[in-house]
Amino acid sequence: MTMIQHIQKELTPLYQKLNSHHIYKKVDDNNKLQTFMENHVYSVWDFMSLVKFLQNHFAPSSPPWKPREHKDIIHFINDIVLEEESDHLPDGRTMSHFEMYCLAMAEVGANSDKPFSFVQNITSTNLQEQMNSFDLPLEIQAGVQKTFGFLDSHKPHIAAAAFCFGRENMIPNMFRELLNKMNISKEQAPLFHFYLSRHIELDGEIHGPMALKMVEILCADDKQRWEEALTTAQDSIQSRINLWNYIESIL
Ligand SMILES: [Fe+2]
C-alpha cells in the first residue's frame, strides 16, 4: 500500500461522516439556503489563500523567472488559479469563484455585502481583527483560523494536504450530496446550482489525482511529513464537519 492509499484508507470514516451529514437535506427552503450560504462563503474565500500559497511555492510570481521542477504540478496549480480566480459565468462574464458565490448569494436574497466588505480591507495581519469587527460566529472563525494555521506553518506539504484531502478530493462528493439532497431547484437558485456543478466537474476527474501527486512530491520519503499530511487531512475534514454542525444548528 502506498502512503497515499494509507491516508485515503484512514480518512474513509471521516469522509463517510461528512457525506452523510444531515445538513444537505435540511437546506430545503430559501431562508435556509440564505443562512447556509452566508456562513459557507468564508470557506469559499479562504480556499483561495491555500491555492495562492501553493502556487507561490511551485511557480512563484516574483521576478526573475526561471524554469522550475515539477512542470505538471505547475500546470495544474496555474490551471486551478485560472479557473478559481477568473472563471467564466454562463453569461460570459469573468470573475473569481468567491465573487461568483457572492452573486449566487445575492440571487437568492442572501446578504452578500457582508462577506464582500469583509474581504475588501483584509491584509496578512488583520484577519482576526476583521473577523471580530464583522462579528463572525466563533464557529466560522475556527474554520478560517484552521486554514490560515496551515499556511502559518510555512510547510508546503501541510498546505498541500489541506488542499488535497480537505478540498479537491473532498468537495466533488460533498457537493454531489448537497445537489442531490437539498430541496432547492435550479430555477430557484441558478447560479448556486452552476457553482456546485462546476466544482463537481472541475475537481472530480483531473484536480483530485493531481492534488494527490502534489502531496506525494512534497512528502517524498519523509516519514514525519507523511504523518503531518495525515493529521492535516483529518483536521481539515473535521473542520468542515464542525462547520456543517454549526450551520445545521442554526437552520
Ligand atoms: Fe472554486
Side-chain angles (χ1 to χ4, degrees), residues 1-8 58 70 73 156-157 160-161 164-165 209-222 225-226 229:
M1 189 187 282
T2 65
M3 288 307 288
I4 285 286
Q5 286 166 338
H6 166 69
I7 291 182
Q8 284 174 317
F58 285 100
H70 311 305
I73 297 292
H157 64 282
C164 173
F165 299 106
M210 284 302 281
L212 293 171
K213 193 173 173 190
M214 185 191 278
V215 172
E216 260 177 339
I217 287 170
L218 291 170
C219 291
D221 293 328
D222 191 315
R225 285 187 189 177
W226 280 110

Side-chain angles (χ1 to χ4, degrees), residues 47-48 50-62 65-66 68-87 163 168 202 206-207 210 214:
F47 170 78
M48 271 314 290
L50 263 183
V51 174
K52 284 292 191 179
F53 177 97
L54 288 165
Q55 185 185 38
N56 193 44
H57 177 76
F58 285 100
S61 60
S62 47
W65 177 86
K66 59 183 179 185
R68 291 175 192 272
E69 274 188 297
H70 311 305
K71 327 288 186 202
D72 44 358
I73 297 292
I74 293 177
H75 180 92
F76 165 61
I77 198 77
N78 284 339
D79 200 40
I80 295 225
V81 170
L82 177 73
E83 282 152 352
E84 290 290 337
E85 201 170 35
S86 51
D87 204 4
F163 168 77
E168 294 301 296
L202 283 179
I206 302 163
H207 290 188
M210 284 302 281
M214 185 191 278

